[in-house]
Amino acid sequence: MLRNDISRTERSFLGHPRGLATLFLTEAWERFSYYGMRAVLLYYLYDHVANGGLGLSTASAASIVSVYGAAVYMSGVLGGWLADRVLGSRLAILSGGLLIMGGHIALAIPGGLAMFFISMALIVLGTGLLKTNASSVLGELYADQDSRRDAGFSLFYMGINLGAFIAPYVVGTLGQTVGYHVGFAAAAVGMAFGIVQYVLGARWLGNAGRQVPHPLHGTELHKALGRIAVCLAGLAAVTLIFFRITGFAVDGIVNLISVLAILVPLTYFVVLLRSKRISGVERSRVRAFVPLFVAAVAFWIVDEQGATVLATFADKRTDRVIGGFEIPASWFQSINPIATLIWAPVLAFLWMKLGSRQPRTPTKFAIGLALTGMSFVIMAIPGLLHGTRAPASPFWLLASFIVLLAGAVCLSPVGLAVTTKLAPRAYAAQLMSLWMMSDSAAQGINAQLVKLYSPETEIGYFLAHGAGELLIATGMLAIGGWVHRNMAGVH
C-alpha cells in the first residue's frame, strides 16, 4: 500500500492512519525504558557505593549523564545511514529495540563502571537505529500536503511522553527503594514489551519504511566500507590524542564526546549541502533547516537539564516531605511528561483547528524558545526570595516544567514534522538523524555547562540560560521570513 493510500483510507486511530498506533506504542515502551533508566541514573552514579551507587562526584555524574544523552542522539547518524543504505527503516527499528533491551539487561547486572559503559554502547547504538527511523516511518504514513501531519506528530509525541510519565513511578521507585539494578531490569522488560507490540502491529504500517531508499551496490559498498574505515581510524586517532592530554579518565571521555557532538552535525551539514544527490530546491530546504536546527539545540540545552541540574535540585534543594511522606527525587522526572500529555492534545487540536491559518514553523519555534527561557527564569526565583541554602518548595519545579513543556510542544513535534517534509529524498532518514543530533549537540554542550551549577552560582546560572533562550527566540522571529522562503513550498 502506498503512502498516500494509507493516508486516505485508514483513519481508525483518532482520525489518523492506523499505523500511528503501532509507532505510538513502540515509542511509548522505548521511552519507558530510556527515561526509566535515566530517572535514577544520576543518583546511581553519585550515590555512595554502600548504597549500591558508583560513588562519583555530583559534577562528574551530571556530565556523564549529559554525554550519555549526547552519544545516544549522535548515533542517529549511523542509524539513519544504515536505514537509507542497508536495512530500511522498518528493520532498523526492530534491530534498535533488541540492542536497547540488551543494554538495559547489561545495566541490570552489577559490574561497576565497566558494565555501565557496555550498557551505554548498546543503548547508544540501539537508540540511533530506533528513534530516527520510527519518526521517518511515521512521516511516510501521510501525504506530503496532508494537514494532519503536525497533529499526528503531536500524538506521536504523546506516546513518547506516556512512556516517560509511567517510567519514574516504576523504574524510579524500584531503583531508589529496592535497588538500582532492579530498576534497570524493569527498563529491560519494558523494552521487551515494545518489541513484541511492534512485531504484532507491523501489518498496519503497509509498505512504509520497507524500501531501502538508496541501497549500496557493488563498488559503492566497497567505497562505503573504506570511508567507514577511514572515519573509525580518525576517531581512534582523536580519541588517543584526547586521552594523551587528559589521561584515561572519565573526564577525557566526557570532553571527547562533547567535541564530537558538535563537530559531527557541522560536518554532516557540509556533506548535505555539497551532495550531488540533492536538487536545488532540496538544497534550499536544507539551508532553511540550519537555523531551525540551531534553535532546537538551544531548546534542548534547557530541556535536557531536567535529568541533571533539575534532578540535582530535586534531590538536594527541594523540600520533598509532604504530609509525612518523602517523595522520591526520581518522581519529579514525571512532571515533564505529565505536562506534555496535557499540552500536546491542546496544541494538536489548535493546529488542526487553525489549518492553513496556523503560525508558520519559525514562529512556532520562537514561541517555544521564549517559553523555554521563562522556565529557567522561574527556577531563579526561590534563590532570589529565600537564598540558595533554604529548601525550596516543590511547586517551583512544577511551575518550571509546566512552562517548559508548553514551549516543547510548540517546538519538538513541529520540528519532527517539518524535518520529514524538508528532507531530501536521498537522505530522508539521515536528515531525521540530523534533527535528533540537535539534542546530541545540546547535551554535549551541557556536559560542560552543568559543571558550573552549584548553590553559589544557582541564581546567575538560571537567569543566564533564560536570557539566552529569549535572545535566540527574538532572532528566530527576525529571520522567520527568510527561513520560510527557503523552505520552498513546505508549510
Side-chain angles (χ1 to χ4, degrees), residues 6 52 89 195 217 229 231 238 271 290 336 350 360-361 369 415 422 437 459 471-472 478 489:
I6 293 173
S89 293
I195 293 169
H217 296 292
C231 290
V238 171
V271 170
V290 174
N336 187 311
L350 179 62
R360 293 175 176 178
T361 295
L369 288 171
L422 293 175
M437 285 196 67
I459 297 171
L471 182 63
I472 296 171

Side-chain angles (χ1 to χ4, degrees), residues 278-285 287 488:
I278 65 176
S279 66
V281 170
E282 289 176 328
R283 187 169 286 106
S284 175
R285 290 173 177 171
R287 284 196 296 268

Side-chain angles (χ1 to χ4, degrees), residues 178-251:
V178 180
Y180 291 113
H181 299 291
V182 176
F184 297 140
V189 172
M191 190 65 252
F193 284 146
I195 293 169
V196 172
Q197 180 280 143
Y198 175 72
V199 172
L200 295 177
R203 66 185 183 276
W204 301 114
L205 298 174
N207 286 326
R210 286 192 184 279
Q211 183 179 2
V212 180
H214 192 64
L216 290 170
H217 296 292
T219 57
E220 275 192 316
L221 177 60
H222 293 102
K223 288 180 180 179
L225 291 175
R227 289 171 182 170
I228 291 172
V230 170
C231 290
L232 289 175
L235 179 60
V238 171
T239 302
L240 287 173
I241 292 171
F242 258 84
F243 283 159
R244 290 281 292 180
I245 295 172
T246 64
F248 285 80
V250 170
D251 285 345

